[in-house]
């Protein structure tokens, strides 16, 4: 059974939604994961922020605005009056819920309920549309099987256990529709897999049902060899290994949610990145093997903070790194890059929630320097130990740019450098023109 995920732009207009059936074959048993209509989650974030700030009038205006968009949307989506009425009911229900939150105490729990409405709306409207045109389908509630644990990590075994009986209830149905992004956390509350999380949903469902293939349908013809929003002349990559794709997703290639490769990788489920606007384009295949071709792609991750801990007392002392890492572990803050010298260690983080506490604890070891507004630029390819010259080519391409950190050898498919975010664009362009 395949899993097909369609992103925000792929369901971004009634016209696009209708065109999904050019891609989905309703005769094949499959699970279709939908994102929210593009722009909706951003609007929901604003509504939540207004509520959190106690600005109920603003929240109400934002809700009305978004509701108007959906009223237009269903006018074009449905042709028959009874289905238009059904669509109106769907909208009234979800927007009523958003408005009613004004009467409640508002916490992050309610905020997450707000964020979930985008995917609930898109999937329900699509389900009603399929009814209108006579294509049988089943709407699977993601909140009944998508689950995260105390650490916010998805629990694939739980998903497998809970999705199987749902599918078994409908032995004769082919087309199952479900929501991307949303889940329940360990308290049973509505939660989500973070922005862009529908890719992650697709990969997790793929892993849970041991799918034969996961397809991520988006607005571009696969993973490109650099960020197409920044660099001109980027090209799609036909084949990536799971490791290479994971590295690119983690280090900022927006086409894939940072964690989305891991579940598919664990069960060796091939992932295809495909273009809804150009369904016949080959896209990118992500699988266990890879073409042995040197440098594949470049990605960049912003909002990085570099922390340098300098401690001459630690000279030759063993256990220093362990004590440094334990500080980050206590605050559940992942480290992305590390470089060390005899008396200092630099690390980067992107989650700065506990930066104050972390700095205070690190100060015990020595002096601590913090650099904000940094960007990790990551070059991915086949840099196994027998190959040579790649690091030199990368560094040659950025010799005019100040580098804060360089990391090579951590894996055989990644060279990362840390630059000021102000230098990112030039770094990406210069690497692109010299490496490809
Ligand atoms: P969706 O809404 O379908 O999930 P996203 O906007 O999340 O789509 O991801 C697709 C976008 O990712 C593309 O339109 C492109 O601008 C951006 N992108 C950034 N880096 C890359 C890359 N290396 N290859 C392809 N697309 C990329
Ligand atoms: N709708 C969510 C977002 O905009 C999830 C997704 O699109 O993947 O982040
Ligand atoms: Mg996305």
């Amino acid at each position: 059974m395949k899993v097909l995920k369609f992103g925000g732009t792929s369901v971004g207009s009634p016209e696009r939604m209708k065109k999904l059936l050019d891609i989905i074959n309703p005769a094949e048993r499959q699970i279709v994961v939908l994102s929210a209509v593009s722009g909706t989650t951003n609007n929901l974030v604003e509504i939540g922020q207004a509520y959190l700030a106690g600005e109920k009038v603003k929240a109400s205006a934002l809700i009305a605005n978004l509701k108007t968009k959906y009223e237009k949307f269903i006018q074009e989506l449905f042709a028959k009056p009874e289905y238009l009425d059904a669509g109106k009911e769907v909208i009234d229900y979800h927007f009523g819920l958003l408005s009613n939150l004004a009467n409640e105490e508002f916490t992050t729990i309610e905020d997450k309920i707000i964020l979930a409405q985008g995917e609930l709306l898109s999937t329900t409207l699509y389900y009603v549309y399929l009814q209108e045109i006579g294509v049988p389908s089943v709407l699977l509630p993601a909140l009944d099987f998508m689950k995260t644990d105390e650490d916010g990590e998805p629990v694939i075994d739980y998903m497998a256990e809970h999705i199987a009986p749902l599918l078994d209830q409908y032995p004769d149905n082919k087309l199952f529709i479900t929501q991307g992004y949303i889940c329940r956390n360990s308290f049973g509350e509505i939660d989500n897999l973070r922005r862009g999380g529908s890719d992650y949903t697709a990969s997790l469902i793929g892993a849970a049902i041991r799918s034969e293939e996961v397809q991520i349908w988006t607005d571009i013809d696969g993973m490109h060899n650099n960020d197409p929003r920044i660099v001109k002349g980027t090209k799609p990559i036909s084949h990536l290994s799971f490791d290479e794709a994971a590295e690119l997703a983690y280090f900022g290639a927006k086409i894939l949610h940072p964690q989305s490769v891991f579940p598919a990788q664990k069960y060796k489920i091939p992932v295809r990145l495909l273009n809804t606007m150009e369904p016949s384009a080959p896209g990118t295949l992500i699988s266990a093997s890879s073409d042995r071709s040197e440098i594949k792609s470049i990605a960049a991750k912003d909002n990085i903070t570099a922390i340098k801990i300098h401690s001459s007392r630690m000279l030759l002392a063993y256990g220093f790194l362990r004590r440094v890492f334990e500080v980050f572990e206590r605050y559940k803050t992942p480290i992305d890059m590390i470089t060390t010298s005899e008396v200092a260690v630099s690390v980067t983080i992107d989650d700065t929630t506990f930066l104050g506490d972390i700095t205070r604890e690190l100060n015990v070891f020595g002096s601590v320097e913090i650099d904000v507004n940094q960007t990790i630029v990551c070059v991915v390819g086949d840099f196994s130990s027998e190959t040579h010259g790649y690091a030199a080519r990368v560094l040659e391409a950025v010799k005019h740019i100040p580098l804060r950190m360089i990391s090579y050898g951590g894996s055989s498919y990644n060279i990362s450098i840390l630059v000021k975010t102000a230098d990112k664009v030039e770094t990406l362009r210069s690497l692109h023109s010299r490496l490809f």
Side-chain angles (χ1 to χ4, degrees):
M1 200 172 173
K2 284 184 188 158
V3 179
L4 279 67
K5 174 258 170 175
F6 294 93
T9 36
S10 305
V11 294
S13 67
E15 194 198 341
R16 293 245 66 93
M17 234 185 212
K18 291 180 190 175
K19 276 196 175 290
L20 293 188
L21 278 180
D22 292 354
I23 294 166
I24 298 169
N25 173 3
E28 214 177 281
R29 201 163 149 94
Q30 67 202 295
I31 298 180
V32 170
V33 176
L34 299 186
S35 291
V37 170
S38 59
T40 296
T41 310
N42 288 346
N43 292 151
L44 294 171
V45 168
E46 286 169 3
I47 293 167
Q49 281 168 347
Y51 271 135
L52 275 173
E55 299 169 359
K56 290 186 184 175
V57 179
K58 184 175 174 191
S60 154
L62 290 166
I63 293 168
N65 218 344
L66 187 59
K67 190 176 182 193
T68 310
K69 285 193 209 165
Y70 275 86
E71 279 162 351
K72 280 199 197 119
F73 195 99
I74 57 166
Q75 289 290 344
E76 286 174 49
L77 184 64
F78 300 109
K80 299 179 189 150
E82 65 264 40
Y83 289 97
L84 184 60
D85 284 346
K88 275 194 188 124
E89 256 175 56
V90 172
I91 292 182
D92 285 343
Y93 172 77
H94 291 282
F95 283 90
L97 187 150
L98 291 177
S99 301
N100 286 338
L101 288 170
N103 311 320
E104 282 174 41
E105 194 195 341
F106 197 86
T107 68
T108 52
I109 298 178
E110 284 71 32
D111 193 36
K112 286 172 178 162
I113 295 175
I114 291 185
L115 295 177
Q117 302 311 310
E119 273 69 12
L120 291 167
L121 273 164
S122 62
T123 48
T124 316
L125 291 175
Y126 189 58
Y127 171 69
V128 178
Y129 168 71
L130 289 176
Q131 287 180 333
E132 183 186 78
I133 61 166
V135 173
S137 72
V138 177
L139 190 57
L140 293 178
L143 296 176
D144 289 355
F145 57 88
M146 293 300 292
K147 176 92 178 158
T148 54
D149 64 13
E150 309 71 49
D151 296 322
E153 292 297 322
V155 194
I156 295 178
D157 290 344
Y158 180 99
M159 296 169 190
E161 246 170 66
H162 287 77
I163 200 170
L166 287 176
L167 296 173
D168 289 347
Q169 273 179 39
Y170 304 96
D172 301 326
N173 280 82
K174 306 281 186 204
L175 183 50
F176 295 86
I177 314 288
T178 195
Q179 299 84 26
Y181 178 59
I182 62 173
C183 62
R184 285 194 190 272
N185 60 27
S186 57
F187 302 106
E189 299 154 358
I190 294 181
D191 210 320
N192 61 66
L193 301 171
R194 311 238 179 112
R195 295 307 304 274
S198 299
D199 305 327
Y200 203 11
T201 301
S203 175
L204 287 163
I205 293 178
I209 65 163
R210 309 291 193 267
S211 174
E212 60 189 277
E213 181 172 297
V214 172
Q215 299 180 352
I216 308 278
W217 289 88
T218 181
D219 58 0
I220 189 163
D221 53 351
M223 177 77 79
H224 277 219
N225 58 1
N226 207 329
D227 191 330
R229 295 165 301 176
I230 297 175
V231 178
K232 281 201 200 96
T234 60
K235 291 199 177 71
I237 307 162
S238 59
H239 197 180
L240 287 169
S241 68
F242 287 120
D243 286 326
E244 291 166 339
E247 207 82 50
L248 289 167
Y250 189 78
F251 286 110
K254 194 200 168 210
I255 185 171
L256 277 178
H257 178 280
Q259 265 105 38
S260 59
V261 177
F262 301 114
Q265 177 166 30
K266 187 166 178 200
Y267 297 100
K268 296 198 174 57
I269 298 161
V271 178
R272 278 183 202 279
L273 308 181
L274 296 156
N275 189 353
T276 331
M277 325 288 164
E278 208 192 324
S280 59
T284 301
L285 171 65
I286 302 168
S287 69
S289 64
S290 160
D291 310 328
R292 290 228 139 199
S293 81
E294 36 174 70
I295 295 172
K296 289 253 176 86
S297 183
I298 301 164
K301 184 170 171 179
D302 292 330
N303 297 318
I304 299 294
T305 298
I307 306 170
K308 185 194 283 171
I309 307 111
H310 190 279
S311 169
S312 44
R313 274 192 299 119
M314 282 298 150
L315 187 66
L316 299 179
Y318 57 82
F320 174 46
L321 282 179
R322 177 176 56 77
R323 287 161 67 186
V324 167
F325 289 152
E326 275 170 359
V327 173
F328 290 89
E329 193 185 341
R330 268 198 291 287
Y331 293 99
K332 291 191 173 170
T333 300
I335 293 172
D336 285 331
M337 265 176 96
I338 333 166
T339 50
T340 60
S341 81
E342 195 53 54
V343 290
V345 49
S346 278
V347 302
T348 69
I349 59 172
D350 74 338
D351 178 358
T352 52
T353 318
F354 298 107
L355 184 59
D357 297 298
I358 290 172
T359 311
R360 188 173 36 79
E361 290 204 24
L362 291 175
N363 268 319
V364 175
F365 306 137
S367 66
V368 178
E369 258 174 61
I370 312 273
D371 290 315
V372 294
N373 296 328
Q374 306 284 308
T375 293
I376 296 176
V377 174
C378 164
V379 180
V380 166
D382 175 21
F383 309 127
S384 50
S385 51
E386 311 91 70
T387 60
H388 56 85
Y390 294 131
R393 282 173 65 196
V394 169
L395 294 181
E396 173 68 24
V398 293
K399 65 181 178 202
H400 56 302
I401 295 161
L403 304 183
R404 170 72 176 74
M405 288 165 70
I406 302 173
S407 170
Y408 175 64
S411 74
S412 54
Y413 26 77
N414 164 329
I415 300 173
S416 298
I417 55 179
L418 188 71
V419 298
K420 287 196 196 88
T421 302
D423 292 328
K424 171 176 97 166
V425 171
E426 172 56 22
T427 306
L428 291 181
R429 288 185 183 154
S430 182
L431 282 167
H432 198 78
S433 66
R434 284 169 181 81
L435 297 182
F436 299 121

Coordinates of all heavy atoms in Angstrom, one line a residue, residues 290-337:
S290 N 22.6 4.7 -3.4 CA 22.8 6.1 -4.0 C 23.7 6.0 -5.2 O 24.5 5.1 -5.3 CB 23.4 6.9 -2.9 OG 24.0 8.1 -3.4
D291 N 23.6 7.0 -6.0 CA 24.6 7.0 -7.1 C 25.9 7.6 -6.5 O 25.9 8.6 -5.8 CB 24.2 8.0 -8.2 CG 22.8 7.8 -8.6 OD1 22.4 6.6 -8.6 OD2 22.1 8.8 -9.0
R292 N 27.0 6.9 -6.8 CA 28.3 7.4 -6.3 C 28.7 8.6 -7.1 O 29.4 8.5 -8.1 CB 29.3 6.3 -6.4 CG 29.1 5.2 -5.4 CD 30.4 4.9 -4.7 NE 30.1 4.6 -3.3 CZ 31.0 4.7 -2.4 NH1 32.2 5.0 -2.7 NH2 30.7 4.4 -1.1
S293 N 28.1 9.7 -6.7 CA 28.6 10.9 -7.5 C 29.0 11.9 -6.4 O 28.3 12.1 -5.4 CB 27.5 11.5 -8.4 OG 26.6 12.3 -7.6
E294 N 30.1 12.4 -6.5 CA 30.7 13.4 -5.6 C 29.7 14.3 -4.9 O 29.0 13.9 -4.0 CB 31.8 14.1 -6.4 CG 31.4 14.4 -7.8 CD 32.4 15.3 -8.5 OE1 33.5 14.8 -8.8 OE2 32.0 16.4 -8.8
I295 N 29.7 15.6 -5.3 CA 28.9 16.5 -4.5 C 27.5 16.6 -5.0 O 27.3 16.8 -6.2 CB 29.6 17.9 -4.6 CG1 31.0 17.8 -3.9 CG2 28.7 19.0 -3.9 CD1 31.9 19.0 -4.0
K296 N 26.6 16.4 -4.2 CA 25.2 16.3 -4.6 C 24.4 17.6 -4.4 O 23.7 18.0 -5.3 CB 24.5 15.2 -3.8 CG 24.9 13.8 -4.1 CD 23.8 13.1 -4.9 CE 24.2 11.7 -5.3 NZ 24.0 10.7 -4.3
S297 N 24.4 18.1 -3.2 CA 23.6 19.3 -3.0 C 24.1 20.1 -1.8 O 24.9 19.7 -1.0 CB 22.2 18.7 -2.7 OG 21.3 19.8 -2.5
I298 N 23.5 21.3 -1.7 CA 23.9 22.3 -0.7 C 22.6 22.7 0.0 O 21.6 23.0 -0.7 CB 24.6 23.5 -1.3 CG1 25.8 23.0 -2.1 CG2 24.9 24.5 -0.3 CD1 26.3 24.1 -3.1
A299 N 22.6 22.8 1.3 CA 21.4 23.3 2.1 C 21.9 24.2 3.2 O 23.1 24.2 3.5 CB 20.6 22.1 2.6
A300 N 21.0 25.0 3.7 CA 21.4 26.0 4.7 C 20.3 26.0 5.8 O 19.1 26.0 5.5 CB 21.5 27.4 4.1
K301 N 20.8 26.1 7.0 CA 19.8 26.2 8.2 C 20.1 27.4 9.0 O 21.3 27.6 9.5 CB 20.1 24.9 9.0 CG 19.2 24.8 10.2 CD 19.3 23.4 10.8 CE 18.6 23.3 12.1 NZ 18.7 21.9 12.7
D302 N 19.1 28.3 9.1 CA 19.3 29.6 9.8 C 19.0 29.5 11.2 O 18.6 28.5 11.7 CB 18.3 30.6 9.1 CG 18.7 31.0 7.7 OD1 19.9 30.9 7.4 OD2 17.8 31.3 6.9
N303 N 19.0 30.7 11.9 CA 18.7 30.8 13.3 C 19.6 29.9 14.2 O 19.1 29.3 15.1 CB 17.2 30.5 13.6 CG 16.3 31.5 12.8 OD1 16.6 32.7 12.8 ND2 15.3 31.0 12.2
I304 N 20.8 29.9 13.8 CA 21.7 29.0 14.6 C 22.5 29.9 15.6 O 22.9 31.1 15.2 CB 22.7 28.3 13.7 CG1 22.0 27.4 12.7 CG2 23.8 27.6 14.4 CD1 21.3 26.2 13.3
T305 N 22.7 29.4 16.8 CA 23.5 30.1 17.8 C 24.8 29.3 18.1 O 24.7 28.1 18.3 CB 22.7 30.3 19.1 OG1 21.5 31.1 18.8 CG2 23.5 31.0 20.2
A306 N 25.9 30.0 18.0 CA 27.2 29.3 18.3 C 27.6 29.6 19.7 O 27.5 30.8 20.2 CB 28.2 29.7 17.3
I307 N 28.1 28.6 20.4 CA 28.5 28.8 21.8 C 29.9 28.3 21.9 O 30.2 27.1 21.6 CB 27.6 28.0 22.8 CG1 26.1 28.3 22.6 CG2 28.0 28.2 24.2 CD1 25.1 27.4 23.3
K308 N 30.8 29.2 22.4 CA 32.2 28.7 22.6 C 32.5 28.7 24.1 O 32.3 29.7 24.8 CB 33.2 29.7 21.9 CG 34.6 29.2 22.0 CD 35.6 30.2 21.6 CE 35.7 30.5 20.1 NZ 36.5 31.7 19.7
I309 N 33.0 27.6 24.6 CA 33.4 27.4 26.0 C 34.9 27.3 26.0 O 35.5 26.4 25.4 CB 32.8 26.2 26.6 CG1 31.3 26.2 26.4 CG2 33.1 26.1 28.1 CD1 30.8 25.1 25.5
H310 N 35.5 28.3 26.6 CA 37.0 28.4 26.7 C 37.4 28.1 28.1 O 37.0 28.8 29.0 CB 37.4 29.8 26.2 CG 38.9 29.8 26.0 ND1 39.8 30.0 27.0 CD2 39.6 29.8 24.8 CE1 41.0 30.0 26.5 NE2 40.9 29.9 25.2
S311 N 38.3 27.1 28.3 CA 38.6 26.7 29.6 C 40.1 26.2 29.7 O 40.3 25.1 29.4 CB 37.7 25.7 30.1 OG 38.1 25.1 31.3
S312 N 41.0 27.1 30.1 CA 42.4 26.7 30.2 C 42.6 25.7 31.3 O 43.4 24.8 31.3 CB 43.3 27.9 30.3 OG 42.8 28.7 31.3
R313 N 41.7 25.7 32.3 CA 41.7 24.8 33.4 C 41.5 23.3 32.9 O 41.9 22.4 33.5 CB 40.6 25.1 34.4 CG 41.0 26.1 35.5 CD 40.0 26.1 36.6 NE 38.6 26.5 36.1 CZ 37.6 25.7 36.3 NH1 37.7 24.5 36.8 NH2 36.4 26.0 35.8
M314 N 40.8 23.3 31.8 CA 40.5 22.0 31.2 C 41.6 21.4 30.4 O 41.4 20.3 29.9 CB 39.2 22.1 30.4 CG 38.0 22.2 31.3 SD 37.8 20.7 32.2 CE 37.0 21.4 33.7
L315 N 42.6 22.1 30.2 CA 43.7 21.6 29.4 C 44.1 20.2 29.8 O 44.4 20.0 31.0 CB 44.9 22.6 29.5 CG 46.1 22.3 28.6 CD1 45.7 22.6 27.2 CD2 47.3 23.3 29.0
L316 N 44.1 19.3 28.9 CA 44.4 17.9 29.2 C 43.5 17.1 30.1 O 43.7 16.0 30.4 CB 45.9 17.8 29.7 CG 47.0 18.3 28.8 CD1 48.3 18.1 29.4 CD2 47.0 17.5 27.4
A317 N 42.4 17.8 30.6 CA 41.5 17.1 31.5 C 40.6 16.2 30.7 O 39.9 16.7 29.8 CB 40.7 18.1 32.3
Y318 N 40.4 15.0 31.1 CA 39.4 14.2 30.4 C 38.1 14.4 31.1 O 38.0 14.9 32.2 CB 39.8 12.7 30.4 CG 40.0 12.1 31.8 CD1 39.0 11.6 32.6 CD2 41.3 11.9 32.3 CE1 39.2 11.1 33.8 CE2 41.6 11.4 33.5 CZ 40.5 11.0 34.3 OH 40.7 10.5 35.5
G319 N 37.0 14.1 30.4 CA 35.7 14.3 31.0 C 35.1 15.7 30.7 O 34.0 16.0 31.1
F320 N 36.0 16.6 30.1 CA 35.5 17.9 29.9 C 34.3 17.9 28.9 O 33.2 18.5 29.2 CB 36.6 18.8 29.3 CG 36.2 20.2 28.9 CD1 35.4 21.0 29.7 CD2 36.7 20.7 27.7 CE1 35.1 22.3 29.3 CE2 36.4 22.0 27.3 CZ 35.6 22.8 28.1
L321 N 34.5 17.2 27.8 CA 33.4 17.2 26.8 C 32.1 16.6 27.4 O 31.0 17.1 27.1 CB 33.8 16.4 25.6 CG 34.7 17.2 24.6 CD1 35.1 16.3 23.4 CD2 34.1 18.5 24.1
R322 N 32.3 15.5 28.2 CA 31.1 14.9 28.8 C 30.3 15.9 29.6 O 29.1 16.0 29.5 CB 31.5 13.7 29.6 CG 30.3 13.1 30.3 CD 30.7 11.8 31.1 NE 31.7 12.1 32.1 CZ 31.5 12.7 33.3 NH1 30.3 13.1 33.6 NH2 32.5 12.9 34.1
R323 N 31.1 16.7 30.4 CA 30.4 17.6 31.3 C 29.7 18.7 30.5 O 28.6 19.2 30.9 CB 31.4 18.2 32.3 CG 31.8 17.1 33.4 CD 33.0 17.4 34.1 NE 32.9 18.6 34.9 CZ 34.0 19.1 35.6 NH1 35.2 18.6 35.4 NH2 33.8 20.2 36.4
V324 N 30.3 19.1 29.4 CA 29.7 20.1 28.6 C 28.4 19.6 28.0 O 27.3 20.2 28.0 CB 30.7 20.6 27.4 CG1 29.9 21.4 26.4 CG2 31.8 21.4 28.0
F325 N 28.5 18.4 27.4 CA 27.3 17.8 26.8 C 26.2 17.5 27.7 O 25.0 17.6 27.4 CB 27.7 16.4 26.1 CG 28.6 16.7 24.8 CD1 29.4 15.7 24.4 CD2 28.5 17.8 24.1 CE1 30.2 15.9 23.3 CE2 29.2 18.0 23.0 CZ 30.1 17.0 22.6
E326 N 26.6 17.2 29.0 CA 25.5 16.9 30.0 C 24.7 18.1 30.2 O 23.5 18.0 30.5 CB 26.2 16.4 31.3 CG 26.4 14.9 31.3 CD 27.3 14.5 32.5 OE1 27.7 15.3 33.3 OE2 27.5 13.3 32.5
V327 N 25.3 19.3 30.1 CA 24.5 20.6 30.3 C 23.4 20.6 29.3 O 22.2 20.9 29.6 CB 25.4 21.8 30.2 CG1 24.6 23.1 30.3 CG2 26.5 21.8 31.4
F328 N 23.8 20.3 28.0 CA 22.8 20.4 26.9 C 21.8 19.3 27.1 O 20.6 19.5 26.8 CB 23.5 20.3 25.6 CG 24.3 21.5 25.2 CD1 25.6 21.6 25.6 CD2 23.7 22.6 24.6 CE1 26.4 22.8 25.4 CE2 24.5 23.8 24.3 CZ 25.8 23.9 24.8
E329 N 22.2 18.2 27.6 CA 21.3 17.1 27.8 C 20.2 17.4 28.8 O 19.0 17.2 28.6 CB 22.0 15.8 28.2 CG 21.2 14.6 28.1 CD 22.0 13.4 28.6 OE1 23.2 13.4 28.7 OE2 21.3 12.4 29.0
R330 N 20.7 18.1 29.9 CA 19.8 18.4 31.0 C 18.6 19.3 30.4 O 17.5 19.3 30.9 CB 20.5 19.2 32.1 CG 21.0 18.3 33.2 CD 21.3 19.0 34.5 NE 22.5 19.9 34.4 CZ 23.7 19.4 34.3 NH1 24.0 18.1 34.4 NH2 24.7 20.2 34.2
Y331 N 19.0 20.2 29.5 CA 18.0 21.1 28.9 C 17.4 20.6 27.6 O 16.8 21.4 26.9 CB 18.6 22.5 28.8 CG 18.9 23.1 30.2 CD1 20.2 23.1 30.7 CD2 17.9 23.6 31.0 CE1 20.4 23.6 32.0 CE2 18.1 24.1 32.2 CZ 19.4 24.1 32.7 OH 19.7 24.6 34.0
K332 N 17.6 19.3 27.3 CA 17.0 18.7 26.1 C 17.2 19.6 24.9 O 16.3 19.8 24.1 CB 15.5 18.5 26.3 CG 15.2 17.4 27.4 CD 13.8 17.0 27.3 CE 13.6 15.8 28.3 NZ 12.2 15.4 28.5
T333 N 18.5 20.1 24.8 CA 18.8 21.0 23.7 C 19.8 20.3 22.7 O 20.9 20.0 23.1 CB 19.4 22.3 24.2 OG1 18.4 22.9 25.0 CG2 19.7 23.2 23.0
P334 N 19.3 19.9 21.5 CA 20.2 19.2 20.6 C 21.4 20.1 20.1 O 21.1 21.3 19.9 CB 19.3 18.8 19.4 CG 17.9 19.2 19.8 CD 18.0 20.1 20.9
I335 N 22.5 19.5 19.9 CA 23.7 20.2 19.3 C 23.8 19.8 17.9 O 23.6 18.6 17.6 CB 25.0 19.8 20.1 CG1 24.9 20.3 21.5 CG2 26.2 20.2 19.4 CD1 26.0 19.8 22.4
D336 N 24.0 20.7 17.0 CA 24.1 20.4 15.6 C 25.6 20.2 15.1 O 25.9 19.2 14.5 CB 23.5 21.5 14.7 CG 22.0 21.4 14.7 OD1 21.5 20.3 14.9 OD2 21.3 22.4 14.6
M337 N 26.4 21.2 15.5 CA 27.8 21.1 15.0 C 28.7 21.2 16.2 O 28.4 21.9 17.2 CB 28.1 22.3 14.1 CG 28.0 22.1 12.7 SD 28.3 23.7 11.8 CE 30.0 23.5 11.4

